[in-house]
């Protein structure tokens, strides 16, 4: 088995919840104050575009990681259909490139994340219209391999994407090549081993249907058991990587600066973990089963450190 290099960790302050921008009431009044306090500017963004992003709750993720975006060229892998590109620029990114194989550049259907699970709806905007409107914003319908040759970025961001990377070891090695020395990978990783980590119903307590046999295989951590008949959404679309293995993988290519656990809430099933359920899964800890997601920030080494890191990584992969 490959032995990863010893992780090197420099601790960054925890990421804090960003300001609440859900309200668009009198945006013309509070926005100048917010911009001044956070060292931001509207640049070429219009109030109507920003208002649309706020209404659809497409602001939380870029504002949460804003400290890593300002003045940077950002690649958003698995960007999805949303107005997040708008708020990445609003958060201070120098440029934004969104890549997603499901993206239709001429579709006006985007995600509204204002509800608990979100929904898709029609809008006045398509990715192509946004690119025409906003300098520094680009979308690619495809994979990172479809980027122009030689493309590199200061920041590679992913929000709820890593659990779907089925060749995750190879993919992270490719990500490392796309990030400039000293640049960062920043991602939120949903934990498969949490109560609703299977991405099927029930995902939250409000979706429980009593005595529904369709939900039985996924209730109360039953999805932690190995089964030969898992549906495609689990068997083919989720890598089910353990959190410790993910951390080791990141450490092969980057210096981890922040590894922040997000604990499951009551509605996400946290209070359903009993001593009996915990005892029935001896290979898992309570911490892993109650971790909803991981927020990770990791930096690509520079100079001699980069050469040493690459040598270690290549050596470990050959063992």
């Amino acid at each position: 088995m490959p032995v990863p290099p010893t992780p090197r960790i420099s601790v960054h302050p925890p990421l804090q919840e960003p300001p609440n921008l859900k309200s668009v009431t009198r945006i013309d009044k509070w926005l100048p104050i917010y911009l001044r306090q956070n060292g931001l500017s509207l640049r070429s963004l219009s109030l109507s575009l920003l208002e649309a992003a706020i209404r659809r709750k497409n602001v939380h993720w870029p504002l949460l990681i804003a400290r890593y975006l300002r003045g940077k060229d950002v690649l958003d892998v698995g960007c999805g259909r949303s107005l997040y590109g708008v708020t990445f620029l609003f958060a201070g990114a120098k440029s934004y490139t969104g890549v997603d194989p499901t993206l239709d550049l001429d579709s006006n259907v985007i995600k509204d994340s204002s509800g608990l699970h979100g929904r898709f709806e029609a809008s006045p905007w398509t990715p192509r219209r946004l690119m025409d409107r906003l300098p520094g914003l680009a979308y690619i319908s495809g994979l990172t391999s479809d980027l122009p040759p030689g493309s590199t970025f200061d920041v590679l961001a992913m929000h709820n994407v890593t659990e779907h990377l089925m060749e995750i070891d190879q993919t992270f090695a490719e990500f490392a090549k796309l990030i400039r020395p000293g640049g960062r990978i920043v991602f939120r990783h949903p934990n498969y081993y949490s109560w609703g980590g299977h991405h099927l119903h029930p995902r939250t307590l409000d979706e429980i249907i009593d005595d529904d046999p369709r939900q039985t295989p996924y209730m109360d951590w039953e999805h932690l058991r190995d089964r030969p008949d898992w549906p495609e959404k689990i068997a083919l679309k989720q890598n089910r990587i353990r959190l410790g293995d993910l951390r080791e993988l990141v450490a092969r290519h980057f210096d981890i600066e922040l590894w922040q656990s997000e604990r499951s809430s009551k509605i996400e099933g946290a209070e359903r973990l009993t001593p009996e359920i915990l005892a029935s899964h001896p290979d898992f800890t309570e911490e892993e089963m109650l971790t909803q997601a991981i927020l990770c920030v990791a930096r690509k080494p520079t100079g001699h450190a980069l050469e040493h890191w690459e040598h270690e990584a290549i050596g470990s992969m050959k063992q």
Side-chain angles (χ1 to χ4, degrees):
M1 292 289 292
V3 179
T6 302
R8 296 182 291 178
I9 301 176
S10 58
V11 179
H12 275 206
L15 294 175
Q16 303 293 331
E17 283 295 304
N20 181 3
L21 296 187
K22 289 188 293 184
S23 172
V24 295
T25 304
R26 301 306 301 274
I27 188 173
D28 58 318
K29 296 295 184 182
W30 62 256
L31 184 59
I33 299 173
Y34 177 85
L35 295 173
R36 184 171 65 252
Q37 290 177 342
N38 292 276
L40 301 173
S41 67
L42 270 181
R43 297 166 62 184
S44 57
L45 298 179
S46 69
L47 284 180
S48 62
L49 255 181
L50 183 58
E51 180 180 282
I54 294 171
R55 286 189 185 279
R56 291 168 174 81
K57 208 176 179 181
N58 291 169
V59 297
H60 182 273
W61 173 239
L63 294 183
L64 180 67
I65 61 174
R67 71 170 80 151
Y68 303 108
L69 304 178
R70 290 169 185 159
K72 306 298 185 183
D73 295 317
V74 177
L75 175 64
D76 185 9
V77 176
C79 63
R81 294 168 287 168
S82 70
L83 293 177
Y84 273 125
V86 173
T87 47
F88 268 88
L89 294 179
F90 174 64
K94 178 183 177 183
S95 69
Y96 171 90
T97 301
V99 176
D100 195 308
T102 69
L103 205 59
D104 181 345
L105 298 182
D106 296 303
S107 172
N108 69 337
V109 176
I110 63 175
K111 188 170 186 178
D112 184 333
S113 301
S114 58
L116 184 59
H117 300 297
R119 63 186 183 277
F120 289 93
E121 63 179 20
S123 79
W125 303 99
T126 68
R128 199 179 303 278
R129 283 196 66 197
L130 290 172
M131 286 191 288
D132 292 340
R133 176 73 174 272
L134 299 176
L137 184 143
Y139 287 104
I140 293 176
S141 178
L143 306 172
T144 53
S145 56
D146 296 308
L147 289 165
S151 296
T152 58
F153 302 86
D154 300 306
V155 177
L156 189 153
M158 290 179 287
H159 185 263
N160 300 353
V161 171
T162 46
E163 76 272 30
H164 301 302
L165 303 176
M166 302 309 290
E167 301 292 337
I168 191 168
D169 289 52
Q170 177 183 339
T171 303
F172 262 72
E174 294 169 357
F175 287 164
K177 297 176 183 177
L178 291 170
I179 300 173
R180 297 164 186 157
R184 290 182 171 91
I185 186 168
V186 182
F187 64 86
R188 181 185 188 272
H189 171 79
N191 177 27
Y192 176 80
Y193 302 96
S194 64
W195 185 82
H198 41 69
H199 289 6
L200 296 166
H201 296 292
R203 296 166 294 179
T204 49
L205 298 188
D206 62 309
E207 292 186 340
I208 292 178
I209 301 175
D210 293 335
D211 301 321
D212 185 346
R214 295 171 298 178
Q215 293 190 356
T216 302
Y218 317 113
M219 281 290 293
D220 294 335
W221 289 275
E222 282 298 302
H223 65 289
L224 271 58
R225 306 186 191 281
D226 286 329
R227 286 182 49 174
D229 58 343
W230 282 130
E232 179 179 313
K233 194 166 185 177
I234 289 180
L236 301 180
K237 295 186 178 180
Q238 294 190 68
N239 54 41
R240 291 175 278 175
I241 190 170
R242 298 286 292 270
L243 298 183
D245 293 335
L246 177 63
R247 184 166 183 158
E248 287 185 356
L249 171 60
V250 176
R252 289 184 204 140
H253 303 284
F254 306 95
D255 292 332
I256 297 175
E257 296 179 319
L258 180 71
W259 186 267
Q260 182 173 325
S261 297
E262 179 183 313
R263 189 177 174 86
S264 299
S265 65
K266 179 178 179 179
I267 198 171
E268 291 165 337
E271 295 184 3
R272 294 181 69 90
L273 183 59
T274 64
E276 292 75 20
I277 292 175
L278 184 60
S280 71
H281 298 287
D283 294 333
F284 298 88
T285 65
E286 178 178 347
E287 180 182 2
E288 185 170 16
M289 294 167 71
L290 292 180
T291 296
Q292 187 72 13
I294 292 293
L295 295 171
C296 177
V297 179
R299 186 172 181 267
K300 184 173 179 177
T302 59
H304 294 300
L306 174 60
E307 295 176 6
H308 175 70
W309 197 251
E310 289 177 340
H311 177 76
E312 270 192 315
I314 293 172
S316 69
M317 293 174 66
K318 289 181 178 179
Q319 292 183 22

